[in-house]
């Protein structure tokens, strides 16, 4: 097996990418808590909603998902570098993605559409009745398709992306090497690293699917695949792309400045034209362009920061890395359920926010810590192995699957 050294580590593991993955999911949880308060459509909404809360939400709105797919691609590359058998990789990814996806759809997710149906459409039945009689209808109820994967769409997308990657890895080795070298030479130049992905995002936003939102329904979501599959492949190629890492190291400061400047434009326009306020065409185009710039430059900045400052181990890293996937599986259901009861209890928005942060953190932690100790349940919540595993120790490889999101 070929050995390799990752940028700045002297080892075969990039701890900075682990910390970036962990941080990205912490932001994801906070973002979904924020969805309760902003006026954007969601399963359950605060009363009243907080119009200006959209401004901090927009800071991560453009790049958070692409970053998750990128680090997932990087994790896939690291796994294959350690165990290069392609067939075993595909079988492992299939089990580690589809088993938790099916478990989540059957057990974890159903409370979300139940609460949405009660809150928006006056659904009068309890949860058990809903789960037995309505959830598995394989149709729609008040426009909500049931059963559903809700936030687990990310896992549903990672599986075909993994299969697509496997097909590419089936190409002749010389051709794969040429593609990898071309990638590294191209993105090894800072202007290419910054401008080409921004242009790719703008191509979607202005010409191919202008104004079209992601559906998260897999088969009718070409605009999302246009962004997320290339991000996944970029992350995969990044493992061995030394010139690209060098370009990231040279340009991450500029990228961060551009990201913050672009976000300032986005925030200013959101402040000037909040909610459903009709904005002039030039303001809309400026907003979309600034969001595209922010979407990629922030990712480059975070990669550079992770490589320069976070590429070191810590005794909590392996445990947090292992816990990320179980946290991801359960977090949104906890948020929706707790938000619903905060709303029914008449709690103010400030109190509700504190309750949601505390309940989600505690609930996710218990889901992970209890689930990891129970043989069989480990597989259902995305952990490796049927039997109880020893507690992760400093320097251990994380056991989180390639969705390492």
């Amino acid at each position: 097996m070929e050995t390799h050294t990752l940028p700045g580590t002297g080892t075969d593991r990039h701890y900075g990418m682990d910390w970036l993955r962990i941080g990205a999911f912490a932001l994801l949880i906070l973002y979904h808590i924020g969805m309760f308060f902003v006026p954007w459509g969601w399963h359950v909404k605060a009363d009243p909603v907080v119009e200006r809360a959209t401004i901090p939400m927009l800071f991560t709105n453009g790049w958070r998902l692409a970053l998750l797919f990128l680090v997932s691609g990087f994790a896939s590359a690291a796994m294959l570098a350690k165990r290069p058998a392609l067939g075993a990789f595909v079988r492992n990814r299939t089990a580690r993605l589809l088993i938790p996806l099916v478990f989540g759809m059957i057990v974890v997710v159903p409370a979300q559409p139940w609460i949405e149906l009660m809150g928006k459409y006056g659904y009068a039945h309890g949860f058990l009745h809903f789960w037995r009689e309505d959830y598995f209808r394989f149709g729609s109820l008040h426009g909500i398709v049931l059963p559903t994967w809700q936030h687990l769409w990310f896992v549903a997308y990672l599986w075909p992306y993994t299969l697509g990657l496997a097909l590419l890895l089936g190409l002749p080795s010389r051709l794969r090497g040429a593609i990898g070298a071309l990638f590294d030479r191209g993105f090894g130049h800072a202007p290419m690293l910054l401008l080409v992905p921004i242009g790719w995002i703008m191509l979607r936003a202005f010409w191919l699917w202008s104004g079209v939102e992601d559906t998260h329904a897999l088969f009718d979501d070409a605009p999302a695949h246009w962004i997320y599959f290339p991000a996944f492949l970029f992350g995969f190629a990044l493992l061995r792309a030394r010139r690209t890492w060098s370009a990231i190291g040279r340009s991450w400061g500029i990228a961060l400045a551009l990201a913050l400047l672009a976000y300032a434009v986005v925030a200013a326009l959101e402040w000037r034209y909040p909610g459903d306020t009709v904005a002039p065409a030039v303001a809309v185009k400026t907003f979309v362009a600034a969001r595209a710039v922010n979407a990629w430059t922030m990712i480059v900045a975070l990669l550079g920061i992770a490589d320069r400052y976070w590429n070191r181990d810590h005794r909590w890293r392996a445990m947090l890395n292992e816990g990320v996937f179980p946290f991801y599986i359960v977090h949104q259901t906890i948020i929706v359920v707790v938000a619903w009861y905060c709303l029914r209890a008449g709690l103010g928005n400030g109190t509700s926010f504190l309750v949601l942060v505390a309940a989600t953190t505690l609930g996710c932690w218990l889901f992970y810590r209890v689930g990891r100790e129970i043989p069989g349940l480990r597989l259902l919540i995305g952990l490796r192995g049927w039997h109880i595993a020893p507690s992760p120790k400093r320097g251990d490889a994380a056991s989180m699957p390639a969705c390492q999101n």
Side-chain angles (χ1 to χ4, degrees):
M1 179 176 68
E2 181 181 356
T3 59
H4 57 282
T5 302
L6 299 179
T9 64
T11 72
D12 61 354
R13 187 176 190 92
H14 197 302
Y15 297 119
M17 294 298 285
D18 286 347
W19 290 116
L20 185 56
R21 181 184 311 122
I22 292 164
F25 268 83
L27 284 175
L28 176 70
I29 291 173
L30 285 174
Y31 187 90
H32 284 159
I33 289 173
M35 286 297 295
F36 174 58
F37 300 100
V38 293
W40 305 333
W42 207 52
H43 310 288
V44 58
K45 304 304 299 182
D47 185 18
V49 296
V50 184
E51 289 283 350
R52 299 302 186 184
T54 58
I55 293 176
M57 294 281 282
L58 285 169
F59 179 70
T60 66
N61 182 268
W63 50 265
R64 61 190 180 88
L65 293 172
L67 176 63
L68 292 177
F69 281 106
L70 187 151
V71 297
S72 296
F74 188 91
S76 296
M79 290 177 184
L80 275 170
K82 186 176 181 181
R83 297 183 180 87
L86 183 58
F89 169 76
V90 172
R91 290 192 297 272
N92 179 272
R93 294 306 89 216
T94 297
R96 299 281 303 282
L97 293 172
L98 295 190
I99 290 175
L101 175 62
V102 173
F103 170 75
M105 291 178 66
I106 294 173
V107 177
V108 178
V109 164
Q112 297 181 45
W114 172 62
I115 285 175
E116 184 170 3
L117 286 165
M118 286 194 299
K120 295 181 180 179
Y121 305 104
Y123 186 82
H125 301 292
F127 176 73
L128 290 179
H129 176 93
F130 168 74
W131 191 82
R132 289 194 311 264
E133 305 297 332
D134 287 318
Y135 182 68
F136 297 100
R137 62 173 47 217
F138 293 92
S140 64
L141 182 60
H142 295 292
I144 299 175
V145 176
L146 300 171
T148 176
W149 50 48
Q150 297 288 15
H151 67 291
L152 298 182
W153 69 269
F154 179 79
V155 180
Y157 281 42
L158 273 180
W159 183 62
Y161 289 0
T162 300
L163 297 183
L165 172 64
L167 291 176
L168 293 175
L169 294 176
L171 295 173
S173 59
R174 181 174 297 181
L175 179 56
R176 295 200 314 271
I179 294 172
L182 180 63
F183 171 92
D184 203 21
R185 283 198 302 270
F187 290 110
H189 298 281
M192 292 282 286
L193 173 68
L194 296 176
L195 295 178
V196 170
I198 291 173
W200 186 264
I201 297 169
M202 287 190 177
L203 189 60
R204 171 204 157 153
F206 284 106
W207 290 283
L208 296 179
W209 296 282
S210 178
V212 178
E213 299 291 335
D214 298 354
T215 69
H216 300 162
L218 188 60
F219 295 107
D220 64 347
D221 207 8
H225 299 314
W226 178 265
I227 302 297
Y228 300 146
F229 188 46
F232 178 78
L233 295 178
F234 186 99
F236 182 87
L238 189 60
L239 180 74
R240 300 184 185 277
R242 300 188 179 280
R243 292 182 180 179
T244 304
W245 275 113
S246 179
I248 291 170
R250 295 192 306 271
S251 61
W252 73 263
I254 295 173
L256 180 60
L258 289 172
L260 295 177
L261 178 61
Y263 169 68
V265 173
V266 168
L269 289 171
E270 178 67 15
W271 182 273
R272 174 64 181 82
Y273 304 102
D276 295 329
T277 304
V278 178
V282 65
V284 173
K285 291 180 180 179
T286 301
F287 181 94
V288 172
R291 189 171 181 270
V293 172
N294 172 263
W296 180 248
T297 54
M298 195 66 200
I299 289 176
V300 173
L302 288 170
L303 288 170
I305 291 168
D307 187 44
R308 181 166 181 176
Y309 296 108
W310 301 344
N311 202 2
R312 52 183 57 87
D313 202 5
H314 187 277
R315 60 190 177 90
W316 290 353
R317 178 200 57 81
M319 179 181 63
L320 291 174
N321 217 18
E322 182 186 58
V324 165
F325 194 30
F327 272 48
Y328 166 71
I329 289 172
V330 78
H331 80 277
Q332 185 162 294
T333 294
I334 295 173
I335 293 169
V336 171
V337 171
V338 174
W340 170 251
Y341 284 105
C342 285
L343 185 64
R344 294 189 65 186
L347 299 183
N349 282 339
T351 303
S352 294
F353 178 78
L354 295 176
V355 169
L356 282 166
V357 171
T360 305
T361 302
L362 178 60
C364 288
W365 182 253
L366 289 174
F367 183 79
Y368 159 61
R369 292 300 295 180
V370 173
R372 76 182 299 274
E373 302 298 327
I374 300 175
L377 185 56
R378 294 175 51 84
L379 298 175
L380 299 180
I381 67 171
L383 299 180
R384 178 182 300 159
W386 180 270
H387 297 289
I388 299 173
S391 298
K393 295 182 175 64
R394 181 182 176 91
D396 286 349
S399 63
M400 185 178 160
C403 66
Q404 305 190 348
N405 26 57

